[in-house]
Amino acid sequence: MGAAQTTGARRRAIPWLLLALWVAILAIASPFASKLSGVQHDRATDYLPASADSTQAAELQQRLPGGQTTQLVLVYHRDGGLTAADRAAAGRQIDTIAGQHVLAGGTPQGIPSRDGTTLMYPVASNEPGTDEKKRDALVDGVRAVAHGTDGLTVQVGGPGALATDAAQVYRSLGGPLLYTTVGVVAVLLILIYRSPVLWLVPLAVAGIADYLSTGVAYGLHQVFGTTVSGQSSGIMTILVFGAGTDYALLLVSRYREELRRHERPYDAMRAALRGCGPAVLASSGTVAAGLLCLLAADLNSNRAMGPLGTVGVLCALAAMLTLLPAVLVLLGRRVFWPLVPAYGSTPKTRRSLFAAMGTSAGRRPRTVLVGGALLLGALALGALNLPGTVTQQDSFVDTPESVTAMKTLAAAYPERSAQPIDVLTPRAGAGAALTAIRGADGVEGARVTRSGAGWTEISVTASAPPQSAAETRTIEQLRERLPGSYVGGASAQQLDLKDTNARDRLVVVPIVLLSVLLILVVLLRSLVAPLLLTAAVVAVWGAALGLGGLVFGPLFGFEGTDPGLGLLSFVFLVALGVDYGIFLMHRMREESLGGAEPAAAALTALRTTGGVIASAGLVLAATFGVLLNMGLVQLVELGFVISVGVLLDTFLVRTYLVTSASVALGRRVWWPGRMSRTPHRPAAEREAQPV
């Protein structure tokens, strides 16, 4: 009697202890969680590697008198031609701006266009230095003064204004991204659970995990200097809700099943954790390992995505395997109302969609496999239609003022660039460097702007439009002509982003494939099954990119593709796609160990796991689909490719192709493990089998 009472007391105490533990954890993390937004930066130099030419140039600019320069361009334009009153108004506004701010080089002089419709004022200031808030305040202050009337338009552009507009979009991601993600997950959970209460529990736990992840991410930044950007923090939130909800769906599904077998919720939860816990741990470990491979990237934004994404996945895992079980046990069976699983009851048997799909795949596995592979290959060809690298001014979904200004300048001044190229050269050789710059192809003009700390800053005006092929050739020629100097500026930064992304793809992709393959080999104790799953997710990635090529330009109207799209989408789709493959193959392995023949094991695994994994896939695709509503082209493209890839993996590749391949391969799918060998049966047993 005493032992029974002790056991009962322990059952009642453990959920409360876990709840108290989480309260303590949140109390510790709370002071840090609110500080993450304060260390978020979205400057181009925060994305570039330290070794990049443009990064070195930016760091040298900070050492010069006044620090880093913020460059703006004020554009006064009238379609019918500027009047004398327009020029006078522009002059007064420029004088007011010069009186309110410290401008490098004093009050700027206007540069009229040849057709007389436009007047351009280059404005440079060292007031902000590297402080983003001061830069934004400068841009806002200039825009408050510069305004037009009666047909005269005034726009503020230039690298500084573009950076401010981009930062405004990134800052706006926090609230809308979180609220939209929560709303999407809530709707899907209500539809999946068909309960007015149950959906709140995993959603609330995911919210707590997200709050914890922000505190941990801030700690990583303080200890290791991890770069925090709007993109990486937004992806972390999506992973917390997407992956966390997936783990909750698997756990709750198994818990509901065990409640029919066990009288006490505590015992049912223990059985559920024993049943699905190892698979959840293995899948989350695979995702974390895949994301951590990004640490091998040279690009700061890619490298920082690894630790923050891993933090999101692990916080979600911890919450869903400790806090969620505790809350569910304390709430008891009534949390499932109105579909309460009664002890000893049997669920209604109904024809499963995935059973039907598995049957069709099992009849002609080779035909299904070949047909699916051809379909994925055809979709992957669409990647050839992907637009070229997106320029800085084309990276916005909605056109901000800075982009409008740059387009006006491109039309009014076709003979020159409105975006300077910065050259930092040793002061001792500044004269020779200036001569070499002026002799380079595509250089419209060059002038010394500042000297100090042993370096001279030269502002170069190219004759080609910003980030065009001709301007890129000019930048490359300047770097060849000026050894020991650094070429920077907005266009050079975008060029370095593109080149570094290309390098990261060559380095990170093989590491991701190798690490995921090794983990699968250890988990599944086979070589064939891991190769099958890895090939499947790579095929999904190619098909998803191909679909992007078919819609980005023709449907979305995007002028370019983010250079980091290929690498980031590959890492996420491989890690998350293998995640679902683990659940399927793990169940298939269980069935095979239980004595089922290979074909039966594959079809049973699909039938039993198909529904819950399909629900998880829908949730994950929907959470990444939230990025489609964001204001930056790179986020929309990333969200589209990952969402489409997850759906392809859930409803085509895992359902048909992996199952068909498993049926076609039979026991060979587990080669060279012991399950690949036909089990030996005694002669008497073989004779007893019907012919």
Side-chain angles (χ1 to χ4, degrees):
M1 184 69 177
Q5 289 178 343
T6 302
T7 303
R10 185 173 66 248
R11 288 169 177 165
R12 291 189 295 270
I14 289 178
W16 288 109
L17 288 174
L18 287 173
L19 207 58
L21 176 63
W22 270 94
V23 171
I25 291 173
L26 292 178
I28 295 172
S30 183
F32 307 106
S34 58
K35 296 180 180 180
L36 186 64
S37 60
V39 298
Q40 175 181 312
H41 297 288
D42 293 293
R43 299 167 300 189
T45 49
D46 294 316
Y47 285 67
L48 290 167
S51 59
D53 231 40
S54 55
T55 307
Q56 297 292 331
E59 291 180 353
L60 290 174
Q61 285 177 320
Q62 296 173 22
R63 302 180 197 170
L64 295 177
Q68 193 168 342
T69 303
T70 297
Q71 296 171 331
L72 306 175
V73 180
L74 274 68
V75 184
Y76 292 84
H77 176 81
R78 185 185 290 274
D79 289 337
L82 294 171
T83 65
D86 293 338
R87 295 186 179 89
R92 289 193 298 271
Q93 291 180 8
I94 294 298
D95 290 338
T96 301
I97 292 170
Q100 293 177 350
H101 304 280
V102 179
L103 303 184
T107 304
Q109 299 298 312
I111 303 173
S113 63
R114 292 178 180 176
D115 60 6
T117 62
T118 310
L119 190 60
M120 173 179 69
Y121 285 89
V123 174
S125 175
N126 305 114
E127 277 182 356
T130 58
D131 192 309
E132 293 179 60
K133 292 183 179 179
K134 291 182 179 179
R135 179 204 64 202
D136 297 343
L138 171 65
V139 174
D140 293 340
V142 170
R143 284 174 170 170
V145 174
H147 60 275
T149 56
D150 300 328
L152 174 67
T153 61
V154 184
Q155 300 149 354
V156 179
L162 281 168
T164 292
D165 290 339
Q168 184 177 0
V169 174
Y170 275 117
R171 283 194 296 269
S172 69
L173 294 182
L177 181 65
L178 177 61
Y179 304 146
T180 307
T181 302
V182 170
V184 168
V185 173
V187 170
L188 288 174
L189 287 177
I190 291 172
L191 295 174
I192 292 168
Y193 287 140
R194 292 172 290 171
S195 168
V197 179
L198 181 58
W199 65 274
L200 281 170
V201 180
L203 189 62
V205 173
I208 292 172
D210 180 57
Y211 188 72
L212 175 63
S213 69
T214 58
V216 177
Y218 177 78
L220 281 180
H221 171 78
Q222 293 298 103
V223 176
F224 300 105
T226 305
T227 302
V228 180
S229 65
Q231 185 183 51
S232 60
S233 60
I235 295 296
M236 182 179 70
T237 294
I238 287 176
L239 281 173
V240 170
F241 279 92
T245 305
D246 283 2
Y247 303 149
L249 286 168
L250 293 166
L251 177 63
V252 172
S253 174
R254 189 63 177 259
Y255 177 52
R256 186 199 296 266
E257 183 180 337
E258 297 297 338
L259 280 172
R260 303 181 188 276
R261 302 192 184 105
H262 297 83
E263 184 177 0
R264 296 183 179 89
Y266 178 86
D267 296 333
M269 182 57 72
R270 285 187 60 186
L273 287 172
R274 283 197 303 266
C276 70
V280 171
L281 286 171
S283 62
S284 61
T286 306
V287 175
L291 291 174
L292 285 177
C293 291
L294 284 171
L295 288 172
D298 197 23
L299 202 64
N300 279 340
S301 56
N302 288 343
R303 191 167 60 248
M305 188 77 73
L308 262 67
T310 302
V311 164
V313 170
L314 295 183
C315 286
L317 174 71
M320 296 305 169
L321 290 187
T322 57
L323 181 58
L324 178 62
V327 174
L328 289 174
V329 169
L330 290 173
L331 292 175
R333 297 175 186 271
R334 58 185 177 274
V335 74
F336 288 94
W337 184 88
L339 304 175
V340 179
Y343 172 57
S345 63
T346 303
K348 294 181 179 179
T349 303
R350 55 184 177 180
R351 179 65 171 171
S352 167
L353 170 64
F354 289 95
M357 297 171 77
T359 302
S360 64
R363 287 197 190 103
R364 295 185 177 132
R366 291 179 177 81
T367 302
V368 172
L369 187 60
V370 172
L374 290 175
L375 175 60
L376 291 176
L379 291 176
L381 292 176
L384 300 175
N385 195 46
L386 283 169
T389 303
V390 66
T391 63
Q392 192 177 18
Q393 68 182 40
D394 290 328
S395 61
F396 298 89
V397 175
D398 298 320
T399 306
E401 180 182 339
S402 57
V403 173
T404 304
M406 304 306 285
K407 291 181 177 179
T408 301
L409 289 172
Y413 301 86
E415 75 283 357
R416 62 178 296 156
S417 173
Q419 188 164 277
I421 301 169
D422 300 325
V423 175
L424 277 296
T425 190
R427 188 163 57 181
L434 193 60
T435 301
I437 291 170
R438 287 171 175 163
D441 295 335
V443 172
E444 182 75 17
R447 63 186 179 90
V448 174
T449 52
R450 287 185 297 170
S451 295
W455 292 86
T456 296
E457 180 185 63
I458 302 174
S459 181
V460 181
T461 303
S463 58
Q467 297 177 46
S468 62
E471 190 201 40
T472 297
R473 287 194 296 270
T474 299
I475 293 173
E476 291 172 344
Q477 188 177 130
L478 289 175
R479 287 175 170 173
E480 292 173 1
R481 283 178 168 236
L482 303 170
S485 301
Y486 299 101
V487 179
S491 295
Q493 290 168 359
Q494 294 300 311
L495 177 61
D496 289 339
L497 281 172
K498 178 183 176 182
D499 292 343
T500 309
N501 267 302
R503 175 264 174 199
D504 285 352
R505 283 196 299 273
L506 294 176
V507 173
V508 176
V509 166
I511 296 176
V512 171
L513 287 175
L514 182 61
S515 62
V516 169
L517 191 60
L518 289 176
I519 292 173
L520 289 176
V521 168
V522 173
L523 289 176
L524 301 176
R525 301 169 196 175
S526 163
L527 285 178
V528 176
L531 287 171
L532 172 62
L533 291 180
T534 304
V537 292
V538 171
V540 166
W541 171 69
L545 270 184
L547 283 171
L550 297 177
V551 302
F552 287 164
L555 187 60
F556 293 169
F558 293 160
E559 298 293 333
T561 305
D562 177 52
L565 175 64
L567 176 61
L568 291 180
S569 62
F570 178 85
V571 172
F572 282 112
L573 282 177
V574 168
L576 296 171
V578 167
D579 187 27
Y580 292 147
I582 287 174
F583 294 124
L584 179 68
M585 299 300 288
H586 185 270
R587 185 57 181 263
M588 194 183 303
R589 193 171 186 276
E590 281 187 12
E591 296 294 329
S592 297
L593 287 173
E597 290 299 318
L603 299 180
T604 300
L606 178 61
R607 184 179 67 252
T608 54
T609 65
V612 65
I613 297 180
S615 300
L618 285 172
V619 170
L620 190 64
T623 52
F624 273 98
V626 170
L627 292 176
L628 293 172
N629 196 39
M630 299 298 108
L632 291 172
V633 167
Q634 54 262 43
L635 294 180
V636 175
E637 292 177 341
L638 183 64
F640 177 87
V641 171
I642 295 178
S643 297
V644 168
V646 169
L647 293 175
L648 282 174
D649 179 71
T650 301
F651 294 102
L652 174 62
V653 175
R654 183 181 51 78
T655 304
Y656 278 115
L657 302 192
V658 174
T659 302
S660 299
S662 301
V663 172
L665 289 171
R667 295 189 182 277
R668 287 170 293 180
V669 76
W670 304 112
W671 186 87
R674 63 182 179 85
M675 287 172 46
S676 63
R677 296 183 289 274
T678 303
H680 174 74
R681 290 180 297 179
E685 181 182 345
R686 291 197 301 268
E687 292 173 1
Q689 298 297 321
V691 178

PDB file of all heavy atoms in Angstrom, residues 421-441:
ATOM      1  N   ILE A 421      31.594  54.332 -56.030  1.00  0.00           N
ATOM      2  CA  ILE A 421      32.447  53.222 -55.621  1.00  0.00           C
ATOM      3  C   ILE A 421      33.530  53.798 -54.712  1.00  0.00           C
ATOM      4  O   ILE A 421      34.172  54.791 -55.058  1.00  0.00           O
ATOM      5  CB  ILE A 421      33.082  52.534 -56.847  1.00  0.00           C
ATOM      6  CG1 ILE A 421      31.996  52.009 -57.793  1.00  0.00           C
ATOM      7  CG2 ILE A 421      34.001  51.409 -56.424  1.00  0.00           C
ATOM      8  CD1 ILE A 421      32.532  51.562 -59.144  1.00  0.00           C
ATOM      9  N   ASP A 422      33.708  53.197 -53.542  1.00  0.00           N
ATOM     10  CA  ASP A 422      34.688  53.697 -52.583  1.00  0.00           C
ATOM     11  C   ASP A 422      35.989  52.919 -52.713  1.00  0.00           C
ATOM     12  O   ASP A 422      35.993  51.684 -52.692  1.00  0.00           O
ATOM     13  CB  ASP A 422      34.163  53.564 -51.150  1.00  0.00           C
ATOM     14  CG  ASP A 422      32.871  54.350 -50.945  1.00  0.00           C
ATOM     15  OD1 ASP A 422      32.744  55.426 -51.553  1.00  0.00           O
ATOM     16  OD2 ASP A 422      32.009  53.883 -50.184  1.00  0.00           O
ATOM     17  N   VAL A 423      37.081  53.642 -52.830  1.00  0.00           N
ATOM     18  CA  VAL A 423      38.403  53.029 -52.879  1.00  0.00           C
ATOM     19  C   VAL A 423      39.203  53.540 -51.689  1.00  0.00           C
ATOM     20  O   VAL A 423      39.332  54.753 -51.489  1.00  0.00           O
ATOM     21  CB  VAL A 423      39.136  53.347 -54.195  1.00  0.00           C
ATOM     22  CG1 VAL A 423      40.551  52.787 -54.161  1.00  0.00           C
ATOM     23  CG2 VAL A 423      38.366  52.779 -55.380  1.00  0.00           C
ATOM     24  N   LEU A 424      39.733  52.621 -50.889  1.00  0.00           N
ATOM     25  CA  LEU A 424      40.611  52.958 -49.759  1.00  0.00           C
ATOM     26  C   LEU A 424      42.017  52.508 -50.117  1.00  0.00           C
ATOM     27  O   LEU A 424      42.265  51.317 -50.313  1.00  0.00           O
ATOM     28  CB  LEU A 424      40.135  52.260 -48.488  1.00  0.00           C
ATOM     29  CG  LEU A 424      39.006  52.903 -47.680  1.00  0.00           C
ATOM     30  CD1 LEU A 424      39.445  54.259 -47.121  1.00  0.00           C
ATOM     31  CD2 LEU A 424      37.734  53.059 -48.483  1.00  0.00           C
ATOM     32  N   THR A 425      42.931  53.484 -50.238  1.00  0.00           N
ATOM     33  CA  THR A 425      44.285  53.192 -50.677  1.00  0.00           C
ATOM     34  C   THR A 425      45.280  53.786 -49.696  1.00  0.00           C
ATOM     35  O   THR A 425      44.988  54.795 -49.034  1.00  0.00           O
ATOM     36  CB  THR A 425      44.510  53.765 -52.094  1.00  0.00           C
ATOM     37  OG1 THR A 425      45.737  53.290 -52.626  1.00  0.00           O
ATOM     38  CG2 THR A 425      44.507  55.284 -52.077  1.00  0.00           C
ATOM     39  N   PRO A 426      46.471  53.182 -49.527  1.00  0.00           N
ATOM     40  CA  PRO A 426      47.478  53.770 -48.635  1.00  0.00           C
ATOM     41  C   PRO A 426      47.797  55.205 -49.029  1.00  0.00           C
ATOM     42  O   PRO A 426      47.946  55.513 -50.219  1.00  0.00           O
ATOM     43  CB  PRO A 426      48.689  52.841 -48.814  1.00  0.00           C
ATOM     44  CG  PRO A 426      48.100  51.533 -49.234  1.00  0.00           C
ATOM     45  CD  PRO A 426      46.909  51.879 -50.071  1.00  0.00           C
ATOM     46  N   ARG A 427      47.906  56.076 -48.022  1.00  0.00           N
ATOM     47  CA  ARG A 427      48.045  57.512 -48.315  1.00  0.00           C
ATOM     48  C   ARG A 427      49.327  57.812 -49.087  1.00  0.00           C
ATOM     49  O   ARG A 427      49.360  58.734 -49.909  1.00  0.00           O
ATOM     50  CB  ARG A 427      48.014  58.291 -47.007  1.00  0.00           C
ATOM     51  CG  ARG A 427      47.962  59.799 -47.208  1.00  0.00           C
ATOM     52  CD  ARG A 427      47.517  60.533 -45.976  1.00  0.00           C
ATOM     53  NE  ARG A 427      48.386  60.243 -44.821  1.00  0.00           N
ATOM     54  CZ  ARG A 427      48.184  60.751 -43.608  1.00  0.00           C
ATOM     55  NH1 ARG A 427      47.139  61.533 -43.390  1.00  0.00           N
ATOM     56  NH2 ARG A 427      48.998  60.456 -42.611  1.00  0.00           N
ATOM     57  N   ALA A 428      50.367  57.007 -48.862  1.00  0.00           N
ATOM     58  CA  ALA A 428      51.629  57.280 -49.552  1.00  0.00           C
ATOM     59  C   ALA A 428      51.500  57.118 -51.060  1.00  0.00           C
ATOM     60  O   ALA A 428      52.199  57.796 -51.827  1.00  0.00           O
ATOM     61  CB  ALA A 428      52.723  56.355 -49.014  1.00  0.00           C
ATOM     62  N   GLY A 429      50.620  56.250 -51.508  1.00  0.00           N
ATOM     63  CA  GLY A 429      50.475  56.038 -52.948  1.00  0.00           C
ATOM     64  C   GLY A 429      49.171  56.547 -53.503  1.00  0.00           C
ATOM     65  O   GLY A 429      48.694  56.047 -54.533  1.00  0.00           O
ATOM     66  N   ALA A 430      48.556  57.533 -52.833  1.00  0.00           N
ATOM     67  CA  ALA A 430      47.242  58.020 -53.249  1.00  0.00           C
ATOM     68  C   ALA A 430      47.278  58.653 -54.638  1.00  0.00           C
ATOM     69  O   ALA A 430      46.353  58.480 -55.438  1.00  0.00           O
ATOM     70  CB  ALA A 430      46.702  59.022 -52.227  1.00  0.00           C
ATOM     71  N   GLY A 431      48.375  59.384 -54.957  1.00  0.00           N
ATOM     72  CA  GLY A 431      48.452  60.039 -56.261  1.00  0.00           C
ATOM     73  C   GLY A 431      48.495  59.036 -57.395  1.00  0.00           C
ATOM     74  O   GLY A 431      47.767  59.158 -58.393  1.00  0.00           O
ATOM     75  N   ALA A 432      49.315  58.006 -57.235  1.00  0.00           N
ATOM     76  CA  ALA A 432      49.407  56.982 -58.271  1.00  0.00           C
ATOM     77  C   ALA A 432      48.102  56.206 -58.387  1.00  0.00           C
ATOM     78  O   ALA A 432      47.672  55.843 -59.500  1.00  0.00           O
ATOM     79  CB  ALA A 432      50.555  56.025 -57.952  1.00  0.00           C
ATOM     80  N   ALA A 433      47.466  55.964 -57.256  1.00  0.00           N
ATOM     81  CA  ALA A 433      46.189  55.252 -57.283  1.00  0.00           C
ATOM     82  C   ALA A 433      45.134  56.061 -58.012  1.00  0.00           C
ATOM     83  O   ALA A 433      44.352  55.515 -58.806  1.00  0.00           O
ATOM     84  CB  ALA A 433      45.722  54.946 -55.858  1.00  0.00           C
ATOM     85  N   LEU A 434      45.103  57.371 -57.782  1.00  0.00           N
ATOM     86  CA  LEU A 434      44.120  58.229 -58.452  1.00  0.00           C
ATOM     87  C   LEU A 434      44.334  58.215 -59.959  1.00  0.00           C
ATOM     88  O   LEU A 434      43.369  58.158 -60.738  1.00  0.00           O
ATOM     89  CB  LEU A 434      44.228  59.650 -57.901  1.00  0.00           C
ATOM     90  CG  LEU A 434      43.094  60.614 -58.241  1.00  0.00           C
ATOM     91  CD1 LEU A 434      41.760  60.091 -57.712  1.00  0.00           C
ATOM     92  CD2 LEU A 434      43.379  61.999 -57.665  1.00  0.00           C
ATOM     93  N   THR A 435      45.588  58.229 -60.377  1.00  0.00           N
ATOM     94  CA  THR A 435      45.881  58.177 -61.815  1.00  0.00           C
ATOM     95  C   THR A 435      45.435  56.843 -62.410  1.00  0.00           C
ATOM     96  O   THR A 435      44.844  56.792 -63.506  1.00  0.00           O
ATOM     97  CB  THR A 435      47.385  58.375 -62.043  1.00  0.00           C
ATOM     98  OG1 THR A 435      47.792  59.632 -61.506  1.00  0.00           O
ATOM     99  CG2 THR A 435      47.713  58.324 -63.526  1.00  0.00           C
ATOM    100  N   ALA A 436      45.691  55.744 -61.685  1.00  0.00           N
ATOM    101  CA  ALA A 436      45.299  54.422 -62.177  1.00  0.00           C
ATOM    102  C   ALA A 436      43.783  54.286 -62.250  1.00  0.00           C
ATOM    103  O   ALA A 436      43.245  53.674 -63.192  1.00  0.00           O
ATOM    104  CB  ALA A 436      45.877  53.342 -61.272  1.00  0.00           C
ATOM    105  N   ILE A 437      43.098  54.876 -61.291  1.00  0.00           N
ATOM    106  CA  ILE A 437      41.630  54.799 -61.282  1.00  0.00           C
ATOM    107  C   ILE A 437      41.059  55.534 -62.479  1.00  0.00           C
ATOM    108  O   ILE A 437      40.160  55.030 -63.173  1.00  0.00           O
ATOM    109  CB  ILE A 437      41.086  55.378 -59.966  1.00  0.00           C
ATOM    110  CG1 ILE A 437      41.434  54.463 -58.792  1.00  0.00           C
ATOM    111  CG2 ILE A 437      39.568  55.576 -60.051  1.00  0.00           C
ATOM    112  CD1 ILE A 437      41.144  55.070 -57.441  1.00  0.00           C
ATOM    113  N   ARG A 438      41.549  56.720 -62.732  1.00  0.00           N
ATOM    114  CA  ARG A 438      41.018  57.522 -63.839  1.00  0.00           C
ATOM    115  C   ARG A 438      41.306  56.888 -65.191  1.00  0.00           C
ATOM    116  O   ARG A 438      40.613  57.145 -66.175  1.00  0.00           O
ATOM    117  CB  ARG A 438      41.608  58.927 -63.772  1.00  0.00           C
ATOM    118  CG  ARG A 438      41.016  59.761 -62.626  1.00  0.00           C
ATOM    119  CD  ARG A 438      41.744  61.067 -62.434  1.00  0.00           C
ATOM    120  NE  ARG A 438      41.080  61.888 -61.410  1.00  0.00           N
ATOM    121  CZ  ARG A 438      41.638  62.924 -60.800  1.00  0.00           C
ATOM    122  NH1 ARG A 438      42.892  63.282 -61.126  1.00  0.00           N
ATOM    123  NH2 ARG A 438      40.968  63.611 -59.898  1.00  0.00           N
ATOM    124  N   GLY A 439      42.303  56.009 -65.242  1.00  0.00           N
ATOM    125  CA  GLY A 439      42.614  55.347 -66.502  1.00  0.00           C
ATOM    126  C   GLY A 439      41.879  54.037 -66.697  1.00  0.00           C
ATOM    127  O   GLY A 439      42.016  53.404 -67.754  1.00  0.00           O
ATOM    128  N   ALA A 440      41.105  53.630 -65.716  1.00  0.00           N
ATOM    129  CA  ALA A 440      40.377  52.360 -65.822  1.00  0.00           C
ATOM    130  C   ALA A 440      39.158  52.509 -66.716  1.00  0.00           C
ATOM    131  O   ALA A 440      38.553  53.594 -66.809  1.00  0.00           O
ATOM    132  CB  ALA A 440      39.954  51.880 -64.437  1.00  0.00           C
ATOM    133  N   ASP A 441      38.775  51.429 -67.386  1.00  0.00           N
ATOM    134  CA  ASP A 441      37.602  51.440 -68.252  1.00  0.00           C
ATOM    135  C   ASP A 441      36.335  51.624 -67.416  1.00  0.00           C
ATOM    136  O   ASP A 441      36.179  51.011 -66.354  1.00  0.00           O
ATOM    137  CB  ASP A 441      37.501  50.130 -69.033  1.00  0.00           C
ATOM    138  CG  ASP A 441      38.668  49.953 -69.993  1.00  0.00           C
ATOM    139  OD1 ASP A 441      39.255  50.975 -70.392  1.00  0.00           O
ATOM    140  OD2 ASP A 441      38.995  48.792 -70.320  1.00  0.00           O
TER     141      ASP A 441
END
